[in-house]
Amino acid sequence: MITLATSSPQDTQALAAAISDHLVVGDLLVLAGDLGAGKTCFAQGLGGGLGVDERMTSPTFTLVNRYQSGRLELNHLDVYRLDDTAETLDLDLPELLEVGVTVIEWGEEIDQVLPVDHLTVRLRYPDVGAADDARIIDLEAGGPEWTDRLGAIVPSVERWTQ
Ligand code: ADP
Ligand code: MG
């Protein structure tokens, strides 16, 4: 696991963009963290890094937003409102995972249907006393593939290490 710190929404987006350079088609990122922690903000930074030129909005109601204007297709999901796994299956995840990079807010809620190989990005608030715009961001490898790849990301995210 790598633990990082950001100081503003723009800083979180810059971190996400740095990570986006390492992504390839088929990659899955699970975004974890409370409401308002910065999951959507992080996803927007990923999109910016991939060269998505559309405005990225939260997929809370649409469930899936797909962007094809960047270096790789980006599928942005938010499964907070899904009631059960049956609804999850309607998302047709296998197809999404095949065509591009997929990022799922609240993805841990459906981890039983997700591939074991994924990167979890966990956003949280620092302890009391920290600035309002400070966030702690943990990168956690899921599966053997990401355990190896996380090492390659380390130099790109050095400026956010504490
Ligand atoms: P989530 O998708 O996790 O519910 P959002 O990304 O929609 O969260 O909202 C995060 C909110 O927190 C935004 O209003 C954003 O401006 C603010 N914010 C403040 N500091 C940060 C930071 N360091 N990283 C991300 N968001 C931050
Ligand atoms: Mg969100």
Side-chain angles (χ1 to χ4, degrees):
M1 184 173 87
I2 307 176
T3 298
L4 305 166
T6 67
S7 58
S8 68
Q10 294 75 22
D11 199 26
T12 292
Q13 290 181 347
L15 165 63
I19 293 171
S20 79
D21 290 340
H22 294 267
L23 300 179
V24 295
V25 168
D27 280 346
L28 170 63
L29 276 70
V30 165
L31 302 187
D34 292 342
L35 219 57
K39 300 180 295 300
T40 298
C41 178
F42 185 95
Q44 289 166 333
L46 272 187
L50 291 173
V52 170
D53 61 12
E54 296 131 280
R55 203 172 83 88
M56 289 180 62
T57 54
S58 173
T60 310
F61 297 100
T62 52
L63 298 182
V64 189
N65 290 338
R66 300 178 67 166
Y67 301 95
Q68 291 170 329
S69 54
R71 173 174 76 81
L72 305 171
E73 174 164 346
L74 179 63
N75 304 310
H76 181 195
L77 286 73
D78 184 327
V79 296
Y80 184 67
R81 283 159 46 91
L82 287 190
D83 293 331
D84 54 35
T85 24
E87 275 185 293
T88 309
L89 297 175
D90 289 342
L91 292 172
D92 203 6
L93 275 171
E95 196 249 331
L96 293 178
L97 288 168
E98 211 167 283
V99 296
V101 169
T102 301
V103 52
I104 310 184
E105 298 189 36
W106 300 101
E108 280 181 323
E109 306 284 324
I110 60 161
D111 62 0
Q112 67 279 13
V113 301
L114 296 179
V116 285
D117 269 315
H118 60 260
L119 178 67
T120 299
V121 178
R122 190 178 307 283
L123 299 102
R124 49 198 175 89
Y125 299 92
D127 294 333
V128 280
D132 285 351
D133 285 358
R135 297 289 189 276
I136 307 291
I137 301 179
D138 296 318
L139 305 182
E140 304 169 7
E145 186 195 313
W146 271 104
T147 306
D148 290 345
R149 289 177 62 191
L150 212 43
I153 290 182
V154 169
S156 306
V157 298
E158 213 151 27
R159 55 183 260 226
W160 292 279
T161 50
Q162 309 178 74

